[in-house]
Amino acid sequence: GSGADGYASATYGSHNLLDLEAASTFHLSEKGAARLAGKFRNRDGRWNDFTLGDKSYGDQQRLLLRGGLSWVPSVRTLVHANFHLARDDNQAQPQKAFGTLSTANPPLDFTDEQTIFGNLGNRDIGFNETVPFVTSQNEQVSTTSWSDVRTGGSRIGKVDVTGGYVKIDHDFGGAKLTSITSYDVIKGQYEEDNGISGLSSGPNHDGLNQEALVIDFDTKYNQFSQELRLASNAAKARVRWVTGLY
């Protein structure tokens, strides 16, 4: 018969988190049905970005959609088609910052460079720990708050996925044939441009930022696949076999 059923939900939480989810199945006829599902998430960041003056850096937004259609043209054949879409749009990960120059022998120059891990006992620096050294601008930039970060330049983190597949199963009686044809387009873009201090003036006040990490990742993949599989269909047989091509 025909008709529809489904569900929907909504969640609100800290950092203005909004989660929406819904799905519905449509009974089109005795031989066909369709399903549509989706999710949406939006949340403000939890980082305090000194560089931008943004107390909620790290925003996230995600959208997921999926649709399916099933058709049974005969008692021996099942056809299923699927479409999926995903969008992930986030601000790039920030960086904790600390200086590497000692102020013991002013004025500052390259001889004041410190080996951070050696001077701090060969251990990782905690997110809530200050480092007793300064930048070449003579700035103490580390803090005792785990949420204090710095960024610079581009702050892009995106992934887009669009695709689908068609699966056909046909029962010959003693064997079952399966065909799966799929196609996906995947796009990714991620950029970080972080200065070690998040400041814009160099030691000679030349306006140059001290780059600690620069990442520029921009890619696109188109993927097509075809699978053919023929397998024995006798559940109680002592010997079962499968062969195929991918």
Side-chain angles (χ1 to χ4, degrees):
S2 60
D5 55 67
Y7 72 92
S9 66
T11 303
Y12 183 81
S14 58
H15 304 285
N16 288 322
L17 168 68
L18 178 63
D19 269 341
L20 303 176
E21 181 176 351
S24 183
T25 300
F26 303 91
H27 307 281
L28 305 177
S29 67
E30 293 184 356
K31 293 187 175 183
R35 182 172 177 82
L36 183 64
K39 278 187 174 184
F40 175 78
R41 162 171 283 203
N42 192 84
R43 193 192 73 174
D44 292 342
R46 59 173 61 187
W47 304 104
N48 178 30
D49 186 352
F50 279 106
T51 308
L52 302 176
D54 184 355
K55 295 184 178 180
S56 60
Y57 179 83
D59 296 348
Q60 297 180 348
Q61 188 174 98
R62 180 175 298 173
L63 173 66
L64 304 171
L65 293 175
R66 184 175 67 236
L69 177 65
S70 295
W71 177 45
V72 185
S74 72
V75 293
R76 291 182 177 271
T77 305
L78 171 63
V79 179
H80 180 74
N82 170 278
F83 171 78
H84 49 263
L85 178 149
R87 300 285 185 266
D88 202 353
D89 188 356
N90 303 321
Q91 288 181 310
Q93 291 298 314
Q95 301 292 317
K96 298 292 288 185
F98 53 84
T100 61
L101 301 178
S102 170
T103 58
N105 299 299
L108 292 175
D109 59 35
F110 71 94
T111 62
D112 298 307
E113 188 75 27
Q114 303 297 303
T115 304
I116 293 295
F117 298 107
N119 289 342
L120 293 179
N122 273 327
R123 59 181 177 81
D124 290 337
I125 300 171
F127 266 35
N128 59 348
E129 180 181 0
T130 59
V131 175
F133 305 123
V134 298
T135 69
S136 59
Q137 296 93 349
N138 199 17
E139 295 282 348
Q140 167 58 269
V141 295
S142 61
T143 73
T144 57
S145 175
W146 71 270
S147 63
D148 289 343
V149 296
R150 296 179 186 271
T151 62
S154 298
R155 296 166 296 275
I156 300 173
K158 295 182 178 181
V159 177
D160 293 345
V161 179
T162 305
Y165 68 84
V166 176
K167 180 181 180 183
I168 302 174
D169 288 314
H170 183 76
D171 188 351
F172 289 103
K176 181 179 180 181
L177 177 66
T178 299
S179 170
I180 303 175
T181 306
S182 68
Y183 184 74
D184 283 284
V185 178
I186 303 170
K187 300 177 182 178
Q189 186 178 13
Y190 187 83
E191 295 181 2
E192 283 187 24
D193 185 0
N194 292 297
I196 192 170
S197 66
L199 303 176
S200 59
S201 59
N204 299 317
H205 303 285
D206 52 13
L208 298 178
N209 193 31
Q210 296 183 58
E211 298 298 348
L213 177 64
V214 177
I215 299 175
D216 188 358
F217 177 79
D218 191 353
T219 187
K220 178 182 179 182
Y221 299 100
N222 295 326
Q223 177 176 297
F224 171 81
S225 66
Q226 174 64 56
E227 178 182 354
L228 291 173
R229 183 173 68 248
L230 184 65
S232 59
N233 202 25
K236 296 182 179 180
R238 290 188 177 184
V239 178
R240 304 185 67 183
W241 53 267
V242 60
T243 186
L245 177 68
Y246 182 83

